[in-house]
């Protein structure tokens, strides 16, 4: 797996806007998008910080929160549109419960975005993420009333800790 380096390349981030966390891909239960939402809400109860979750119409994401700082996008987008979204965001969050590879974090890294990512994935060997989420064990994963087998569990507290750290050390994260 790889990416087009003429498209996915280091970007300048837009100044003068709230710090924005992003996750994108086909956001199934295994990608733990709802864990990212819960951690975001606890980590940033009042700060001017945003969270953008971009999934696809084939697996639309429903977030039950009326917090206007959270944006959910369930649309099919081109790679060019995703790159433009990355330019408006500051940190990629990927609390996955397991990945064979993980193309979205690789693409986000290629744009110069720091990545917060579970330490249970094959992709971490390729990305060398600085902000890893430790795992707290494993359990049967349920989504929409169905069981999807036994998967690692990302640390909720570890995710909050990494999100706060990156937010509080923005200059370091940008480097």
């Amino acid at each position: 797996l790889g990416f087009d380096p003429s498209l996915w390349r280091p970007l300048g981030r837009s100044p003068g806007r709230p710090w924005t966390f992003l996750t994108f891909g086909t956001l199934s239960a295994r990608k733990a998008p709802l864990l990212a939402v819960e951690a975001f809400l606890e980590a940033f109860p009042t700060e001017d910080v945003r969270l953008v979750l971009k999934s696809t119409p084939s697996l639309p994401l429903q977030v039950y929160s009326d917090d206007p700082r959270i944006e959910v996008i369930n649309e099919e987008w081109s790679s060019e549109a995703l790159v433009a979204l990355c330019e408006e965001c500051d940190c990629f969050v990927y609390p996955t419960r397991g990945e064979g590879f993980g193309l979205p974090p690789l693409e986000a890294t290629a744009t110069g975005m720091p990545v917060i990512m579970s330490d249970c994935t094959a992709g971490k060997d390729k990305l060398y993420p600085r902000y890893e989420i430790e795992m707290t064990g494993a359990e049967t994963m349920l989504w929409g009333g169905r069981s999807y087998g036994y998967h690692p569990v990302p640390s909720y507290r570890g995710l909050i800790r990494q999100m706060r750290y990156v937010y509080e050390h923005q200059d370091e994260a940008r480097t």
Side-chain angles (χ1 to χ4, degrees), residues 82-106:
L82 283 173
V83 169
L85 177 62
C86 287
E87 195 166 12
E88 297 299 318
C89 299
D90 301 289
C91 181
F92 193 77
V93 180
Y94 208 64
T96 184
R97 298 178 66 152
E99 285 301 314
F101 184 78
L103 191 55
L106 180 63

Side-chain angles (χ1 to χ4, degrees), residues 25-86:
T26 305
L27 298 182
S28 67
R30 188 172 44 81
K31 312 291 185 183
L34 300 181
L35 182 68
V37 171
E38 292 171 21
F40 172 83
L41 290 170
E42 185 167 331
F44 307 103
T46 59
E47 291 88 344
D48 189 17
V49 179
R50 295 179 56 230
L51 174 64
V52 177
L53 302 109
K54 162 67 183 79
S55 193
T56 64
S58 63
L59 192 65
L61 180 63
Q62 291 185 328
V63 173
Y64 300 99
S65 172
D66 59 359
D67 192 318
R69 301 172 307 154
I70 299 172
E71 180 181 1
V72 177
I73 303 164
N74 291 311
E75 300 171 0
E76 203 63 50
W77 281 14
S78 67
S79 294
E80 291 81 7
L82 283 173
V83 169
L85 177 62
C86 287

Side-chain angles (χ1 to χ4, degrees), residues 136-153:
T136 61
E139 65 186 15
T140 300
M141 185 176 65
L142 301 173
W143 183 270
R146 291 183 54 202
S147 173
Y148 288 87
Y150 208 59
H151 288 272
V153 178

Side-chain angles (χ1 to χ4, degrees), residues 24 92 94 99 101-110 113 115 117 127:
F24 66 80
F92 193 77
Y94 208 64
E99 285 301 314
F101 184 78
L103 191 55
L106 180 63
E107 291 168 336
T109 299
M113 197 181 310
V115 172
M117 183 174 157
L127 298 171

